[in-house]
Amino acid sequence: MTPPPARPVRADALRNYDRLLAAAGAAFAELGPQAPLDDIAKRAGVGNATLYRHFPTRQALLEAVHRDHIEALCRQAEDLLKEPSPGEALTSWLKAVVAQGGTGRGLAASLMAAMGTGEESGCRDAVFASASALLTRGQQAGDIRVDVTVRQLLKLVNAIALATETEPDREEQADHLVDLLLDGLRAAPAGQAVHHREIDSHRPAVR
């Protein structure tokens, strides 16, 4: 993972850094990842220049707020790579991603934003590496269909996190949706695969 912005050494700068992280966490939880940066600076009791000195972009601030969650997901992925069932390991990790993505109204959106930019993103790179390792293992074992990419997988999982984040039974719904997603991603038994384009070619054109 790309290292976070260096924590300041001076006591006053360190206090400002910690205040900004706390204010950003509260603002993202309340208003979502598009919370005004000016508002975050005011909550922290610092000026805009101080905010941008520590976090030059919104993405950098989002990733700093959620860095602990990202690191936990990456550690979990490493542990799951040792599990005997690649398909079950991937399922467990995706459910963890959704669970983390629904906390604080920021992590899932941060990952989706990072996927669409050319900006350097340690958050994105770390999650991509973890997802890729688990997905590749599942595909090589014949558990997961081979035409699924890491980007597609993360987009689908992040969409589930975003769609369920305000539901009262969010965890139950999210787990069920991940199970449905994995049902669609499982590789078909030999001889039973269906070529979807072939089916589509026999459907009447919609005018």
Side-chain angles (χ1 to χ4, degrees):
M1 176 184 293
T2 301
R7 286 176 64 83
V9 177
R10 288 171 41 193
D12 58 340
L14 181 58
R15 282 195 297 271
N16 288 340
Y17 181 93
D18 290 339
R19 286 173 182 169
L20 283 166
L21 281 184
F28 293 148
E30 179 183 344
L31 304 172
Q34 296 304 316
L37 297 183
D38 290 352
D39 180 58
I40 291 173
K42 288 179 182 179
R43 291 182 186 221
V46 303
N48 288 353
T50 299
L51 185 152
Y52 288 112
R53 184 163 58 250
H54 289 296
F55 307 103
T57 66
R58 178 184 298 274
Q59 189 65 29
L61 181 56
L62 276 166
E63 293 190 9
V65 168
H66 296 294
R67 190 167 302 277
D68 289 345
H69 292 161
I70 293 296
E71 291 176 348
L73 287 173
C74 293
R75 288 194 299 270
Q76 184 174 1
E78 291 179 4
D79 291 338
L80 287 169
L81 286 171
K82 305 169 188 175
E83 292 296 314
S85 171
E88 291 180 8
L90 179 61
T91 301
S92 296
W93 190 75
L94 293 179
K95 288 184 176 181
V97 172
V98 171
Q100 292 280 25
T103 61
R105 297 186 60 194
L107 177 57
S110 174
L111 290 174
M112 293 187 77
M115 282 192 284
T117 77
E119 180 183 331
E120 183 178 2
S121 170
C123 170
R124 174 195 59 209
D125 294 346
V127 172
F128 263 50
S130 295
S132 179
L134 289 165
L135 176 61
T136 298
R137 183 169 178 253
Q139 290 171 328
Q140 291 176 342
D143 291 346
I144 305 297
R145 50 193 294 174
V146 297
D147 60 341
V148 180
T149 67
V150 175
R151 181 177 292 271
Q152 290 169 337
L153 182 65
L154 289 177
K155 281 185 175 182
L156 290 167
V157 172
N158 284 329
I160 290 174
L162 290 170
T164 59
E165 67 181 2
T166 60
E167 297 294 334
D169 55 344
R170 188 191 67 79
E171 184 175 349
E172 180 180 347
Q173 285 204 37
D175 281 356
H176 183 58
L177 288 172
V178 172
D179 286 335
L180 292 176
L181 170 63
L182 267 295
D183 282 345
L185 296 182
R186 288 193 177 91
Q192 294 185 20
V194 177
H195 199 298
H196 295 290
R197 290 183 181 176
E198 181 179 335
I199 291 177
D200 291 340
S201 68
H202 294 292
R203 291 176 178 170
V206 178
R207 301 185 183 276

